[in-house]
Amino acid sequence: MTMKLDHLRQQIDEIDHELVALLAKRFQITEEVGKYKAAHCLQAQDPGREALQFKKIEELAKLSGLHAGNAAAIFRCIMDQVIARHEELRSERVSS
């Protein structure tokens, strides 16, 4: 029984590694988006884009067998972090 649990946990650890690597990539790209927005005096948050993203996330979740509400909650957290960073970049630009 313990070997099965250990194997499952090992699989989770491997997936966590992949998730962190993907998040790092995503945040590198969103950093560039934030710099672009700051340089062009664009708002940190784009409600229209968010609505489209959440619709797409819901569809992808359903196709993958993931509860759409769970996927939305995870992506809301990710997007909130990105928006906060974009606001920082805009403030830094305005301050300098």
Side-chain angles (χ1 to χ4, degrees):
M1 187 74 108
T2 302
M3 287 181 56
K4 180 174 174 99
L5 182 58
D6 289 343
H7 177 68
L8 293 170
R9 287 179 173 166
Q10 180 182 5
Q11 288 178 310
I12 291 169
D13 291 347
E14 290 169 9
I15 292 168
D16 288 348
H17 179 79
E18 292 173 30
L19 284 171
V20 170
L22 287 172
L23 282 171
K25 261 189 200 180
R26 190 182 197 286
F27 278 103
Q28 288 168 356
I29 295 167
T30 60
E31 182 76 7
E32 293 304 312
V33 170
K35 289 175 183 176
Y36 180 91
K37 286 181 174 183
H40 293 86
C41 300
L42 299 173
Q43 293 296 315
Q45 190 168 13
D46 182 343
R49 166 83 173 151
E50 278 187 30
L52 291 173
Q53 287 299 98
F54 277 109
K55 184 175 178 162
K56 183 171 47 174
I57 288 162
E58 181 180 338
E59 291 169 5
L60 290 170
K62 287 178 183 176
L63 287 172
S64 299
L66 177 62
H67 185 276
N70 290 344
I74 292 164
F75 274 89
R76 177 75 271 159
C77 180
I78 291 168
M79 288 183 192
D80 287 346
Q81 292 299 310
V82 169
I83 292 165
R85 178 61 183 146
H86 289 184
E87 288 171 350
E88 286 175 8
L89 291 167
R90 188 169 181 191
S91 293
E92 290 170 7
R93 176 119 175 125
V94 171
S95 299
S96 51

